[in-house]
Amino acid sequence: MAGEKKKHFKMTPQRMAILKYLENNKDHPSALDIYTFVSKTFPTMSLATVYNTLKALKDLRDIRELFIDSDKSRFDPDTADHNHLICIRCRRIVDIQEGFGLSIPENERQGFEIIGNHVDFYGTCPSCNKGERADKAS
């Protein structure tokens, strides 16, 4: 962490545990997922601590909040530009590192200054497909 904002990010044992859980985590966990895991080590920690830590990390741009799941926000510690595959059944999210050279024609921008894009692909993952085939065989 660098910069003035990061000086105000107090590093507590709970925040360290949250950061450790997020480090290289490819599961795109929700706040509740993080809380459930970290509270095993810190049973007195509140869900509010997780939310506050996630907000601080998001403000510092150390994580990205994903609004892919309509039931809950998911969090991605990989802040590099990338896209996602999303299973419409189990809600599994997989990173796609490949970029896509998308652009919006000038006449469609409506005055927006484009700073980036994110592409989500929806389908069913191999586990859900395997279950579907088993259901069809019955």
Side-chain angles (χ1 to χ4, degrees):
M1 289 188 218
E4 189 62 33
K5 280 186 179 179
K6 297 191 183 204
K7 289 180 183 177
H8 300 290
F9 187 79
K10 184 178 176 189
M11 192 56 69
T12 65
Q14 292 86 350
R15 283 185 167 181
M16 287 175 58
I18 292 167
L19 284 168
K20 183 146 181 68
Y21 178 74
L22 286 171
E23 185 178 11
N24 298 317
N25 188 318
K26 298 289 185 191
D27 292 334
H28 306 85
S30 68
L32 187 57
D33 295 332
I34 297 165
Y35 171 76
T36 301
F37 182 84
V38 176
S39 66
K40 293 174 188 171
T41 306
F42 296 97
T44 59
M45 181 182 68
S46 70
L47 185 56
T49 298
V50 174
Y51 278 111
N52 291 336
T53 300
L54 292 171
K55 182 184 180 328
L57 291 171
K58 189 174 85 169
D59 290 347
L60 295 168
R61 298 187 177 165
D62 286 340
I63 62 170
R64 293 167 66 180
E65 185 172 7
L66 305 177
F67 301 100
I68 292 169
D69 192 330
S70 62
D71 296 333
K72 58 191 168 193
S73 291
R74 309 277 289 267
F75 295 89
D76 192 345
D78 183 355
T79 58
D81 287 339
H82 66 281
N83 304 291
H84 294 104
L85 286 167
I86 302 140
C87 181
I88 60 171
R89 290 207 174 120
C90 69
R91 307 307 293 169
R92 179 178 171 213
I93 302 170
V94 178
D95 291 341
I96 303 172
Q97 297 303 326
E98 181 71 30
F100 301 96
L102 301 175
S103 64
I104 300 174
E106 190 68 43
N107 63 332
E108 293 288 328
R109 291 185 188 180
Q110 300 182 39
F112 275 71
E113 178 184 339
I114 307 300
I115 59 171
N117 65 51
H118 180 96
V119 179
D120 296 326
F121 294 91
Y122 295 88
T124 52
C125 70
S127 295
C128 289
N129 283 336
K130 189 185 300 182
E132 182 179 281
R133 283 194 287 278
D135 289 345
K136 287 181 180 177
S138 302

